[in-house]
């Protein structure tokens, strides 16, 4: 499988099965990507992010810490720290579907946490709370051309983004996991930018409508 093929919306009878099938497709596409191809695509996405105006203007970078099948963010974290930006990464709050962001000074401030993902160690870090000048890098298994995403189904980012609607949001994804349109709810929040290895797309309100 080289690219995801969502079921046409008019044929969807069960949204849960639709998302389950699409998540499986995305994971298969990513897992089947040769390491050298993934590295090349990660590098292209990194270059597009760090050369864009939204990155230059941000004094704070909020970003997930990538796993093996995700677009790499480790290089981005290190670059942002080198650029003297404040970098904050999320930590899931036990027993909830919420998360807090903490500022880190290096990768040494991280430990394996929920779902085996690297998370900040609270005793080493300061909780982030003001995001007026922040750029938020948001993960997604898939994105569509209006900036809507298919997440992992846990709801952490949905809750966080709903609580901070003015954040500048940048979705990053491989072209093979993008499509023209994803089924989404009325209250889903789309990204302001979509970055793949081939393009950086600014998404306006008009495009979303």
């Amino acid at each position: 499988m080289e690219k995801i093929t969502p079921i046409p919306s008019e044929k969807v009878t069960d949204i849960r099965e639709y998302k389950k099938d699409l998540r499986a497709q995305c994971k298969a596409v990513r897992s089947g990507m040769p390491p050298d191809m993934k590295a090349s695509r990660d590098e292209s996405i990194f270059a597009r992010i760090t050369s864009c105006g939204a990155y230059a203007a941000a004094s704070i970078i909020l970003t997930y810490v990538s796993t093996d099948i995700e677009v790499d963010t480790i290089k981005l974290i290190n670059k942002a720290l080198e650029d003297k930006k404040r970098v904050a990464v999320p930590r899931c709050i036990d027993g909830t579907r919420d998360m807090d962001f903490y500022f880190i000074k290096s990768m040494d401030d991280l430990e394996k946490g929920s779902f085996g993902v690297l998370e900040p160690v609270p005793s080493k870090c300061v909780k982030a709370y003001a995001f007026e000048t922040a750029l938020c890098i948001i993960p997604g298994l898939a994105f569509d051309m209006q900036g809507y995403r298919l997440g992992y189904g846990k709801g952490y980012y949905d809750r966080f983004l709903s609580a901070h609607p003015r954040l500048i949001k940048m979705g990053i994804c491989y072209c093979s996991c993008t499509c023209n349109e994803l089924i989404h709810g009325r209250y889903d929040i789309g990204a302001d930018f979509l970055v793949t290895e081939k393009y950086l797309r600014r998404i306006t309100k008009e495009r979303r409508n």
Side-chain angles (χ1 to χ4, degrees), residues 73-93:
T73 61
I74 307 301
K75 186 173 181 179
L76 175 63
I77 289 170
N78 289 324
K79 169 65 173 171
L81 290 170
E82 290 175 8
D83 289 341
K84 307 302 181 185
K85 297 181 185 292
R86 304 187 75 189
V87 176
V89 300
R91 183 178 180 90
C92 298
I93 302 173

Side-chain angles (χ1 to χ4, degrees), residues 135-148:
L135 172 64
C136 185
I137 306 296
I138 55 177
L141 284 168
F143 280 87
D144 70 12
M145 295 301 103
Q146 291 73 48
Y148 293 108

